[in-house]
Coordinates of all heavy atoms in Angstrom, one line a residue:
M1 N 0.8 -1.2 0.0 CA 0.0 0.0 0.0 C 0.9 1.3 0.0 O 1.9 1.3 0.7 CB -0.9 0.0 1.2 CG -1.8 1.2 1.3 SD -3.0 1.0 2.6 CE -4.1 2.2 2.2
T2 N 0.5 2.2 -0.8 CA 1.3 3.4 -1.0 C 1.0 4.4 0.2 O -0.1 4.5 0.6 CB 0.9 4.1 -2.3 OG1 1.2 3.3 -3.3 CG2 1.7 5.4 -2.5
D3 N 2.0 5.0 0.7 CA 1.9 6.0 1.7 C 1.3 7.3 1.1 O 2.0 8.0 0.3 CB 3.2 6.3 2.4 CG 3.1 7.3 3.5 OD1 2.0 7.6 4.0 OD2 4.2 7.9 3.9
L4 N 0.1 7.6 1.4 CA -0.5 8.8 0.8 C -0.2 10.1 1.6 O -0.6 11.1 1.1 CB -2.1 8.6 0.7 CG -2.6 7.6 -0.2 CD1 -4.1 7.5 -0.1 CD2 -2.2 7.9 -1.7
A5 N 0.5 10.0 2.7 CA 0.7 11.1 3.5 C 1.3 12.3 2.8 O 0.7 13.4 2.9 CB 1.6 10.8 4.7
P6 N 2.3 12.2 2.0 CA 2.8 13.4 1.3 C 1.8 14.0 0.3 O 1.7 15.2 0.2 CB 4.1 12.8 0.5 CG 4.4 11.5 1.1 CD 3.1 11.0 1.7
I7 N 1.1 13.1 -0.4 CA 0.0 13.6 -1.3 C -1.1 14.3 -0.5 O -1.5 15.4 -0.9 CB -0.5 12.5 -2.2 CG1 0.6 11.8 -3.0 CG2 -1.6 13.0 -3.1 CD1 0.2 10.6 -3.7
M8 N -1.5 13.7 0.6 CA -2.5 14.3 1.4 C -2.1 15.7 2.0 O -2.9 16.6 2.0 CB -2.9 13.3 2.5 CG -3.7 12.1 2.1 SD -4.1 11.0 3.4 CE -5.2 12.0 4.3
E9 N -0.9 15.8 2.3 CA -0.4 17.1 2.9 C -0.4 18.1 1.8 O -0.9 19.3 2.0 CB 1.1 16.9 3.3 CG 1.6 18.1 4.1 CD 3.0 17.8 4.6 OE1 3.3 16.7 5.1 OE2 3.9 18.8 4.5
K10 N 0.0 17.8 0.6 CA -0.1 18.8 -0.5 C -1.6 19.1 -0.9 O -1.9 20.2 -1.2 CB 0.6 18.2 -1.8 CG 2.1 18.3 -1.6 CD 2.8 17.7 -2.9 CE 4.3 17.7 -2.7 NZ 5.0 17.2 -3.9
T11 N -2.4 18.1 -0.9 CA -3.8 18.3 -1.2 C -4.5 19.2 -0.1 O -5.2 20.1 -0.5 CB -4.6 16.9 -1.2 OG1 -3.9 16.1 -2.2 CG2 -6.0 17.1 -1.6
H12 N -4.2 19.0 1.1 CA -4.7 19.8 2.2 C -4.3 21.2 2.1 O -5.0 22.2 2.2 CB -4.4 19.2 3.6 CG -5.1 19.9 4.7 ND1 -4.6 21.0 5.3 CD2 -6.2 19.6 5.3 CE1 -5.4 21.4 6.2 NE2 -6.4 20.5 6.3
E13 N -3.0 21.4 1.8 CA -2.4 22.7 1.6 C -3.1 23.4 0.4 O -3.5 24.6 0.5 CB -0.9 22.6 1.3 CG -0.2 23.9 1.2 CD 1.3 23.8 1.0 OE1 1.9 23.0 1.8 OE2 1.8 24.4 0.1
W14 N -3.3 22.7 -0.7 CA -3.9 23.3 -1.9 C -5.4 23.7 -1.5 O -5.8 24.8 -1.8 CB -4.0 22.3 -3.0 CG -4.9 22.7 -4.1 CD1 -4.8 23.6 -5.1 CD2 -6.3 22.3 -4.2 NE1 -5.9 23.8 -5.8 CE2 -6.9 23.0 -5.2 CE3 -7.1 21.4 -3.5 CZ2 -8.2 22.8 -5.6 CZ3 -8.4 21.2 -3.8 CH2 -9.0 21.9 -4.9
A15 N -6.1 22.8 -0.9 CA -7.5 23.0 -0.5 C -7.6 24.3 0.4 O -8.6 25.1 0.2 CB -8.1 21.8 0.1
S16 N -6.7 24.4 1.3 CA -6.8 25.5 2.3 C -6.5 26.8 1.5 O -7.3 27.8 1.7 CB -5.7 25.4 3.3 OG -5.9 24.3 4.2
K17 N -5.6 26.8 0.6 CA -5.3 28.0 -0.2 C -6.5 28.4 -1.1 O -6.8 29.6 -1.2 CB -4.0 27.9 -1.0 CG -2.7 27.9 -0.2 CD -1.5 27.7 -1.1 CE -0.3 27.7 -0.3 NZ 0.9 27.4 -1.1
Y18 N -7.0 27.4 -1.7 CA -8.2 27.6 -2.6 C -9.4 28.1 -1.8 O -10.0 29.1 -2.3 CB -8.6 26.3 -3.3 CG -9.7 26.5 -4.3 CD1 -9.5 27.0 -5.6 CD2 -11.0 26.2 -4.0 CE1 -10.5 27.2 -6.4 CE2 -12.0 26.4 -4.8 CZ -11.8 26.9 -6.1 OH -12.8 27.2 -6.9
A19 N -9.6 27.6 -0.7 CA -10.8 28.0 0.1 C -10.6 29.5 0.5 O -11.5 30.3 0.4 CB -10.9 27.1 1.4
N20 N -9.4 29.8 1.0 CA -9.1 31.2 1.4 C -9.3 32.2 0.2 O -9.9 33.2 0.3 CB -7.7 31.3 1.9 CG -7.5 30.8 3.3 OD1 -8.5 30.7 4.1 ND2 -6.3 30.3 3.6
K21 N -8.8 31.8 -0.9 CA -8.9 32.6 -2.2 C -10.3 32.9 -2.6 O -10.7 33.9 -3.0 CB -8.1 31.9 -3.3 CG -8.2 32.6 -4.6 CD -7.4 31.8 -5.7 CE -7.9 32.2 -7.0 NZ -7.4 31.3 -8.1
K22 N -11.2 31.8 -2.4 CA -12.6 31.9 -2.8 C -13.5 32.4 -1.8 O -14.7 32.6 -2.0 CB -13.0 30.5 -3.4 CG -12.3 30.0 -4.6 CD -12.5 30.9 -5.8 CE -13.7 30.6 -6.5 NZ -14.0 31.3 -7.7
G23 N -13.0 32.6 -0.5 CA -13.9 33.0 0.6 C -14.7 31.9 1.2 O -15.8 32.1 1.7
F24 N -14.2 30.6 1.1 CA -14.8 29.5 1.7 C -14.0 29.1 2.9 O -13.0 29.6 3.2 CB -14.8 28.3 0.7 CG -15.5 28.5 -0.7 CD1 -14.9 27.9 -1.8 CD2 -16.6 29.3 -0.8 CE1 -15.5 28.1 -3.0 CE2 -17.2 29.5 -2.0 CZ -16.6 28.9 -3.2
I25 N -14.5 28.1 3.6 CA -13.8 27.4 4.6 C -13.8 25.9 4.3 O -14.6 25.4 3.6 CB -14.3 27.7 6.1 CG1 -15.8 27.2 6.2 CG2 -14.2 29.1 6.4 CD1 -16.3 27.1 7.6
L26 N -12.8 25.2 4.9 CA -12.8 23.8 4.8 C -13.7 23.2 5.8 O -14.0 23.8 6.8 CB -11.4 23.2 5.0 CG -10.3 23.6 4.0 CD1 -9.0 23.0 4.3 CD2 -10.8 23.3 2.6
N27 N -14.2 22.0 5.6 CA -15.1 21.3 6.5 C -14.5 21.4 7.9 O -13.4 20.9 8.2 CB -15.2 19.9 6.1 CG -16.4 19.2 6.8 OD1 -16.6 19.4 7.9 ND2 -17.0 18.2 6.1
P28 N -15.3 21.9 8.9 CA -14.8 22.0 10.2 C -14.8 20.7 11.0 O -14.1 20.6 12.0 CB -15.8 23.0 10.9 CG -17.0 22.9 10.1 CD -16.6 22.6 8.7
D29 N -15.4 19.7 10.4 CA -15.4 18.3 11.0 C -14.1 17.7 10.5 O -14.0 17.2 9.4 CB -16.6 17.5 10.5 CG -16.6 16.1 11.1 OD1 -15.6 15.5 11.3 OD2 -17.8 15.6 11.2
E30 N -13.1 17.6 11.4 CA -11.8 17.1 11.1 C -11.8 15.7 10.5 O -11.0 15.4 9.5 CB -10.8 17.1 12.3 CG -10.4 18.6 12.7 CD -9.6 19.2 11.6 OE1 -8.7 18.6 11.0 OE2 -9.7 20.5 11.4
E31 N -12.6 14.8 11.0 CA -12.7 13.4 10.5 C -13.2 13.4 9.1 O -12.7 12.7 8.2 CB -13.6 12.6 11.4 CG -13.6 11.1 11.1 CD -14.4 10.3 12.0 OE1 -14.6 10.7 13.2 OE2 -14.8 9.2 11.6
M32 N -14.3 14.2 8.8 CA -14.8 14.2 7.4 C -13.8 14.9 6.5 O -13.7 14.4 5.4 CB -16.2 15.0 7.5 CG -16.9 15.0 6.1 SD -17.3 13.3 5.6 CE -18.1 13.7 4.1
L33 N -13.2 15.9 6.9 CA -12.2 16.6 6.1 C -11.1 15.6 5.7 O -10.7 15.6 4.6 CB -11.6 17.8 6.8 CG -10.5 18.6 6.1 CD1 -11.0 19.1 4.8 CD2 -10.0 19.7 7.0
H34 N -10.6 14.9 6.7 CA -9.6 13.9 6.5 C -10.0 12.9 5.4 O -9.2 12.5 4.5 CB -9.2 13.2 7.8 CG -8.1 12.2 7.6 ND1 -6.8 12.5 7.6 CD2 -8.2 10.8 7.4 CE1 -6.1 11.4 7.4 NE2 -6.9 10.3 7.3
M35 N -11.3 12.4 5.5 CA -11.8 11.4 4.6 C -11.8 12.0 3.1 O -11.4 11.3 2.2 CB -13.2 10.9 5.0 CG -13.1 10.0 6.2 SD -14.7 9.5 6.8 CE -15.9 9.6 5.5
V36 N -12.2 13.2 3.0 CA -12.3 13.8 1.7 C -10.9 14.0 1.1 O -10.7 13.7 -0.1 CB -13.1 15.1 1.7 CG1 -13.1 15.8 0.3 CG2 -14.6 14.9 2.1
I37 N -10.0 14.6 1.9 CA -8.6 14.8 1.5 C -8.0 13.5 1.1 O -7.3 13.4 0.1 CB -7.8 15.5 2.6 CG1 -8.3 16.9 2.9 CG2 -6.3 15.5 2.3 CD1 -8.1 17.9 1.8
E38 N -8.3 12.4 1.9 CA -7.7 11.1 1.5 C -8.3 10.6 0.2 O -7.5 10.1 -0.6 CB -8.0 10.1 2.6 CG -7.5 8.7 2.4 CD -7.7 7.8 3.5 OE1 -8.7 8.0 4.3 OE2 -7.0 6.8 3.6
G39 N -9.6 10.8 0.0 CA -10.2 10.4 -1.3 C -9.6 11.1 -2.5 O -9.3 10.5 -3.5
L40 N -9.4 12.4 -2.4 CA -8.8 13.2 -3.4 C -7.4 12.8 -3.7 O -7.0 12.6 -4.9 CB -8.8 14.7 -3.0 CG -10.1 15.4 -3.1 CD1 -10.0 16.8 -2.4 CD2 -10.6 15.6 -4.5
S41 N -6.7 12.5 -2.6 CA -5.3 12.1 -2.8 C -5.2 10.7 -3.4 O -4.3 10.5 -4.2 CB -4.6 12.1 -1.4 OG -4.6 13.4 -0.8
R42 N -6.0 9.8 -3.0 CA -6.0 8.5 -3.6 C -6.4 8.5 -5.1 O -5.7 7.9 -5.9 CB -7.1 7.6 -2.9 CG -7.0 6.1 -3.3 CD -7.9 5.2 -2.4 NE -7.7 5.4 -1.0 CZ -6.6 5.0 -0.3 NH1 -5.6 4.4 -0.9 NH2 -6.5 5.1 1.0
N43 N -7.3 9.4 -5.5 CA -7.6 9.5 -6.9 C -6.5 10.1 -7.6 O -6.2 9.7 -8.8 CB -8.9 10.4 -7.1 CG -10.2 9.6 -6.8 OD1 -10.2 8.3 -6.9 ND2 -11.2 10.3 -6.4
K44 N -5.8 11.1 -7.1 CA -4.6 11.7 -7.7 C -3.6 10.6 -7.9 O -3.0 10.5 -9.0 CB -4.1 12.8 -6.8 CG -2.8 13.4 -7.3 CD -3.0 14.4 -8.4 CE -1.8 15.1 -8.7 NZ -1.9 16.0 -9.9
H45 N -3.3 9.8 -6.9 CA -2.3 8.8 -7.0 C -2.7 7.7 -8.0 O -1.9 7.3 -8.8 CB -2.1 8.1 -5.6 CG -1.1 7.0 -5.6 ND1 0.2 7.1 -5.8 CD2 -1.4 5.6 -5.5 CE1 0.8 5.9 -5.8 NE2 -0.1 5.0 -5.6
E46 N -3.9 7.2 -7.9 CA -4.4 6.1 -8.7 C -4.8 6.4 -10.2 O -4.6 5.6 -11.1 CB -5.5 5.3 -8.1 CG -5.1 4.7 -6.8 CD -6.2 4.0 -6.0 OE1 -7.4 4.0 -6.5 OE2 -6.0 3.5 -4.9
H47 N -5.3 7.7 -10.3 CA -5.8 8.0 -11.7 C -5.1 9.2 -12.3 O -5.5 9.6 -13.4 CB -7.3 8.3 -11.5 CG -8.1 7.2 -11.0 ND1 -8.3 6.0 -11.6 CD2 -8.7 7.0 -9.7 CE1 -9.0 5.1 -10.8 NE2 -9.2 5.8 -9.7
G48 N -4.2 9.9 -11.5 CA -3.5 11.0 -12.1 C -4.2 12.3 -12.0 O -3.7 13.3 -12.4
K49 N -5.4 12.3 -11.5 CA -6.2 13.5 -11.4 C -6.9 13.5 -10.1 O -7.2 12.5 -9.5 CB -7.3 13.6 -12.5 CG -6.8 13.5 -13.9 CD -6.3 14.8 -14.4 CE -6.0 14.7 -15.9 NZ -4.9 15.5 -16.3
Q50 N -7.2 14.7 -9.6 CA -7.8 14.9 -8.3 C -9.3 14.9 -8.4 O -10.0 15.9 -8.2 CB -7.3 16.3 -7.8 CG -7.6 16.6 -6.3 CD -6.8 17.8 -5.9 OE1 -5.7 17.7 -5.5 NE2 -7.4 19.0 -6.0
Y51 N -9.8 13.7 -8.8 CA -11.3 13.6 -9.0 C -12.0 13.7 -7.7 O -11.5 13.1 -6.7 CB -11.6 12.2 -9.7 CG -11.1 12.1 -11.1 CD1 -10.1 11.3 -11.4 CD2 -11.7 12.9 -12.1 CE1 -9.6 11.1 -12.7 CE2 -11.2 12.7 -13.4 CZ -10.2 11.9 -13.7 OH -9.7 11.8 -15.0
C52 N -13.1 14.3 -7.7 CA -14.0 14.3 -6.4 C -14.2 12.9 -6.0 O -14.7 12.1 -6.8 CB -15.3 15.1 -6.7 SG -15.1 16.8 -7.0
P53 N -14.0 12.6 -4.7 CA -14.2 11.2 -4.3 C -15.7 10.9 -4.1 O -16.1 9.7 -4.0 CB -13.5 11.2 -2.9 CG -13.5 12.6 -2.4 CD -13.4 13.4 -3.7
C54 N -16.6 11.9 -4.2 CA -18.0 11.6 -4.0 C -18.7 11.5 -5.3 O -20.0 11.3 -5.3 CB -18.6 12.8 -3.2 SG -18.4 14.4 -4.0
R55 N -18.0 11.5 -6.4 CA -18.6 11.4 -7.7 C -18.0 10.3 -8.5 O -16.8 10.0 -8.3 CB -18.5 12.7 -8.5 CG -19.2 13.9 -7.8 CD -19.1 15.1 -8.7 NE -19.6 16.3 -8.0 CZ -20.9 16.7 -7.9 NH1 -21.8 15.9 -8.4 NH2 -21.2 17.8 -7.2
L56 N -18.8 9.6 -9.3 CA -18.3 8.5 -10.1 C -17.7 9.0 -11.4 O -18.4 9.8 -12.1 CB -19.4 7.5 -10.4 CG -20.1 6.9 -9.1 CD1 -21.3 6.0 -9.5 CD2 -19.0 6.0 -8.4
R57 N -16.6 8.4 -11.8 CA -16.0 8.7 -13.1 C -16.7 7.9 -14.1 O -17.2 6.8 -13.8 CB -14.5 8.4 -13.1 CG -13.7 9.3 -12.3 CD -12.2 9.0 -12.2 NE -12.0 7.7 -11.6 CZ -11.7 6.5 -12.2 NH1 -11.4 6.6 -13.5 NH2 -11.5 5.4 -11.6
T58 N -16.9 8.5 -15.3 CA -17.6 7.8 -16.4 C -16.7 7.0 -17.3 O -17.1 6.2 -18.0 CB -18.4 8.8 -17.2 OG1 -17.5 9.6 -17.9 CG2 -19.4 9.6 -16.3
G59 N -15.4 7.4 -17.3 CA -14.5 6.9 -18.3 C -14.4 7.8 -19.5 O -13.5 7.6 -20.4
D60 N -15.3 8.7 -19.7 CA -15.3 9.7 -20.8 C -14.4 10.9 -20.3 O -14.8 11.6 -19.3 CB -16.7 10.1 -21.1 CG -16.7 11.2 -22.2 OD1 -16.0 12.2 -22.1 OD2 -17.5 11.0 -23.2
E61 N -13.3 11.1 -20.9 CA -12.4 12.1 -20.4 C -13.0 13.5 -20.3 O -12.8 14.2 -19.3 CB -11.1 12.2 -21.3 CG -10.0 13.1 -20.8 CD -8.8 13.0 -21.6 OE1 -8.5 12.0 -22.3 OE2 -8.0 14.0 -21.6
T62 N -13.8 13.9 -21.3 CA -14.4 15.2 -21.3 C -15.4 15.3 -20.1 O -15.4 16.3 -19.4 CB -15.2 15.4 -22.6 OG1 -14.2 15.3 -23.7 CG2 -15.8 16.8 -22.7
E63 N -16.2 14.3 -19.9 CA -17.2 14.3 -18.8 C -16.5 14.3 -17.5 O -16.8 15.0 -16.5 CB -18.2 13.2 -18.9 CG -19.3 13.4 -19.8 CD -20.1 14.6 -19.5 OE1 -20.6 14.7 -18.4 OE2 -20.3 15.4 -20.4
D64 N -15.5 13.5 -17.4 CA -14.7 13.3 -16.1 C -13.9 14.5 -15.7 O -13.7 14.8 -14.5 CB -13.8 12.1 -16.1 CG -14.6 10.8 -16.1 OD1 -15.8 10.8 -15.8 OD2 -14.0 9.7 -16.4
R65 N -13.6 15.3 -16.7 CA -12.9 16.6 -16.4 C -13.7 17.5 -15.5 O -13.2 18.3 -14.7 CB -12.6 17.3 -17.7 CG -11.4 18.3 -17.7 CD -11.0 18.8 -19.0 NE -10.5 17.8 -19.9 CZ -10.9 17.7 -21.2 NH1 -11.7 18.6 -21.7 NH2 -10.4 16.7 -22.0
K66 N -15.1 17.4 -15.6 CA -16.0 18.2 -14.8 C -15.9 17.9 -13.3 O -16.3 18.7 -12.5 CB -17.4 18.0 -15.3 CG -17.7 18.4 -16.7 CD -19.1 18.1 -17.1 CE -19.4 18.5 -18.5 NZ -20.8 18.1 -18.9
I67 N -15.4 16.7 -13.0 CA -15.4 16.3 -11.6 C -14.0 16.3 -11.0 O -13.7 15.7 -9.9 CB -16.1 15.0 -11.3 CG1 -15.4 13.8 -12.1 CG2 -17.6 15.1 -11.7 CD1 -15.8 12.4 -11.6
I68 N -13.0 17.0 -11.6 CA -11.7 17.2 -11.0 C -11.9 18.4 -10.0 O -12.4 19.4 -10.4 CB -10.7 17.5 -12.1 CG1 -10.5 16.3 -13.0 CG2 -9.4 17.9 -11.4 CD1 -9.6 16.6 -14.2
C69 N -11.5 18.1 -8.8 CA -11.7 19.1 -7.8 C -10.8 20.3 -8.0 O -9.6 20.2 -8.3 CB -11.4 18.5 -6.4 SG -11.7 19.5 -5.0
P70 N -11.3 21.5 -7.9 CA -12.7 21.9 -7.6 C -13.6 21.7 -8.8 O -13.3 22.2 -9.9 CB -12.6 23.4 -7.3 CG -11.5 23.9 -8.0 CD -10.5 22.8 -8.1
C71 N -14.6 20.9 -8.7 CA -15.5 20.5 -9.8 C -16.3 21.7 -10.3 O -16.4 22.7 -9.6 CB -16.4 19.3 -9.4 SG -17.7 19.8 -8.2
V72 N -16.9 21.5 -11.4 CA -17.7 22.6 -12.0 C -19.0 22.9 -11.3 O -19.6 23.9 -11.4 CB -18.0 22.3 -13.5 CG1 -16.8 22.1 -14.4 CG2 -18.9 21.0 -13.7
Y73 N -19.3 22.0 -10.4 CA -20.6 22.1 -9.6 C -20.4 22.8 -8.3 O -21.4 23.2 -7.7 CB -21.2 20.7 -9.4 CG -21.2 19.9 -10.6 CD1 -20.4 18.8 -10.7 CD2 -22.2 20.1 -11.6 CE1 -20.4 18.0 -11.9 CE2 -22.2 19.3 -12.7 CZ -21.3 18.3 -12.9 OH -21.4 17.5 -14.0
H74 N -19.2 22.9 -7.8 CA -19.0 23.3 -6.4 C -19.5 24.7 -6.0 O -20.1 24.8 -4.9 CB -17.5 23.1 -6.0 CG -16.6 24.2 -6.4 ND1 -16.2 24.4 -7.7 CD2 -16.0 25.2 -5.7 CE1 -15.4 25.4 -7.8 NE2 -15.3 25.9 -6.6
E75 N -19.3 25.7 -6.9 CA -19.7 27.0 -6.5 C -21.3 27.1 -6.3 O -21.7 27.7 -5.4 CB -19.2 28.0 -7.5 CG -17.7 28.2 -7.3 CD -17.1 29.3 -8.2 OE1 -17.7 29.5 -9.3 OE2 -16.1 29.9 -7.8
D76 N -22.0 26.5 -7.3 CA -23.5 26.5 -7.2 C -23.9 25.7 -5.9 O -24.9 26.2 -5.2 CB -24.1 25.9 -8.4 CG -24.1 26.9 -9.6 OD1 -23.9 28.1 -9.4 OD2 -24.2 26.4 -10.7
E77 N -23.3 24.6 -5.7 CA -23.7 23.8 -4.5 C -23.4 24.6 -3.2 O -24.3 24.6 -2.3 CB -22.9 22.5 -4.5 CG -23.3 21.6 -5.6 CD -22.4 20.4 -5.7 OE1 -21.2 20.4 -5.2 OE2 -22.8 19.4 -6.4
I78 N -22.3 25.3 -3.1 CA -22.0 26.0 -1.9 C -23.0 27.2 -1.8 O -23.5 27.5 -0.7 CB -20.5 26.5 -2.0 CG1 -19.6 25.3 -1.9 CG2 -20.2 27.5 -0.8 CD1 -18.1 25.7 -2.2
K79 N -23.3 27.9 -2.9 CA -24.2 29.0 -2.9 C -25.6 28.5 -2.4 O -26.2 29.1 -1.6 CB -24.3 29.6 -4.2 CG -25.2 30.8 -4.3 CD -25.3 31.3 -5.7 CE -26.4 32.3 -5.9 NZ -26.5 32.8 -7.3
N80 N -26.0 27.4 -2.9 CA -27.4 26.9 -2.7 C -27.6 26.0 -1.5 O -28.6 26.0 -0.8 CB -27.9 26.1 -3.9 CG -28.0 27.0 -5.1 OD1 -28.4 28.2 -5.1 ND2 -27.7 26.5 -6.3
E81 N -26.5 25.3 -1.1 CA -26.7 24.3 0.0 C -25.7 24.6 1.2 O -25.8 23.9 2.2 CB -26.4 22.9 -0.6 CG -27.4 22.5 -1.7 CD -26.9 21.3 -2.5 OE1 -26.2 20.5 -2.0 OE2 -27.3 21.3 -3.7
G82 N -24.8 25.5 1.0 CA -23.9 25.8 2.1 C -22.6 25.1 2.0 O -21.6 25.4 2.7
N83 N -22.5 24.0 1.2 CA -21.3 23.3 1.0 C -21.3 22.5 -0.3 O -22.4 22.3 -0.8 CB -21.0 22.3 2.2 CG -22.1 21.3 2.4 OD1 -23.1 21.6 3.0 ND2 -21.9 20.1 1.8
C84 N -20.1 22.1 -0.7 CA -20.1 21.3 -1.9 C -20.5 19.9 -1.6 O -20.6 19.5 -0.4 CB -18.7 21.3 -2.6 SG -17.4 20.5 -1.7
H85 N -20.8 19.1 -2.6 CA -21.4 17.8 -2.5 C -20.4 16.9 -1.6 O -20.9 16.0 -0.9 CB -21.6 17.1 -3.9 CG -22.2 15.8 -3.8 ND1 -23.5 15.6 -3.4 CD2 -21.8 14.6 -4.2 CE1 -23.8 14.3 -3.5 NE2 -22.8 13.7 -4.0
C86 N -19.1 17.0 -1.8 CA -18.1 16.2 -1.1 C -18.0 16.7 0.4 O -17.3 16.1 1.1 CB -16.8 16.3 -1.8 SG -16.7 15.4 -3.3
S87 N -18.5 17.9 0.7 CA -18.3 18.5 2.0 C -16.9 18.9 2.3 O -16.4 18.8 3.4 CB -18.9 17.6 3.1 OG -20.3 17.4 3.0
L88 N -16.2 19.3 1.2 CA -14.8 19.8 1.4 C -14.9 21.3 1.7 O -14.3 21.8 2.7 CB -14.0 19.5 0.2 CG -12.5 20.1 0.2 CD1 -11.7 19.5 1.4 CD2 -11.9 19.8 -1.1
F89 N -15.6 22.0 0.8 CA -15.7 23.5 1.0 C -17.1 23.9 1.5 O -18.1 23.3 1.1 CB -15.5 24.1 -0.4 CG -14.2 23.8 -1.0 CD1 -14.1 23.1 -2.2 CD2 -13.0 24.2 -0.5 CE1 -12.9 22.8 -2.8 CE2 -11.8 23.9 -1.0 CZ -11.7 23.2 -2.2
F90 N -17.0 24.9 2.4 CA -18.3 25.4 3.0 C -18.3 26.9 2.9 O -17.3 27.5 2.8 CB -18.3 25.0 4.5 CG -18.7 23.6 4.8 CD1 -17.9 22.6 4.5 CD2 -20.0 23.4 5.4 CE1 -18.4 21.3 4.8 CE2 -20.4 22.1 5.7 CZ -19.6 21.1 5.4
R91 N -19.6 27.4 2.8 CA -19.8 28.8 2.8 C -19.4 29.3 4.2 O -19.7 28.7 5.2 CB -21.3 29.1 2.4 CG -21.7 30.5 2.4 CD -23.1 30.7 1.9 NE -24.0 29.9 2.7 CZ -25.1 29.3 2.2 NH1 -25.3 29.3 0.9 NH2 -25.9 28.6 2.9
V92 N -18.9 30.5 4.2 CA -18.5 31.2 5.5 C -19.8 31.7 6.2 O -20.7 32.2 5.6 CB -17.5 32.3 5.3 CG1 -17.2 33.0 6.6 CG2 -16.3 31.8 4.7

């Protein structure tokens, strides 16, 4: 099994910077945040892209590009629901 720790650290750093830049916060539930960061990191390691762990890849590169985090849906979800579907980013 691959040690995902270095990838997870970079993913968490990226997510924090992105959230700050966009005026979001990361999930305040540390356990849930860890699970999402781990899923993103695993997808990055296994598939070469940071696919949202809460969405299924179709195998169609054009369609799957939409679910690379931050996915094309996240801003509307945060605006309408308070957080993105994966519960990584939350509205302040």
Side-chain angles (χ1 to χ4, degrees):
M1 180 170 195
T2 302
D3 179 19
L4 290 177
I7 300 170
M8 288 179 66
E9 189 175 318
K10 287 181 181 180
T11 302
H12 189 275
E13 185 178 309
W14 165 82
S16 293
K17 287 179 182 176
Y18 182 80
N20 286 335
K21 176 182 160 190
K22 298 295 278 184
F24 304 144
I25 60 169
L26 295 182
N27 192 327
D29 179 332
E30 288 293 324
E31 187 176 336
M32 184 63 180
L33 176 61
H34 179 82
M35 288 176 21
V36 177
I37 294 291
E38 183 177 20
L40 286 168
S41 300
R42 189 172 307 288
N43 282 337
K44 174 77 171 177
H45 175 72
E46 294 177 2
H47 305 291
K49 303 279 188 214
Q50 192 169 272
Y51 294 110
C52 291
C54 59
R55 299 187 188 273
L56 298 175
R57 289 177 299 107
T58 65
D60 178 308
E61 189 175 332
T62 302
E63 279 302 304
D64 290 346
R65 204 174 297 134
K66 295 176 184 177
I67 63 168
I68 296 172
C69 187
C71 72
V72 299
Y73 312 106
H74 79 288
E75 288 183 332
D76 284 340
E77 291 170 345
I78 294 166
K79 179 182 174 187
N80 297 324
E81 300 163 32
N83 60 277
C84 68
H85 185 67
C86 291
S87 296
L88 177 61
F89 302 115
F90 279 70
R91 181 174 53 217
V92 176

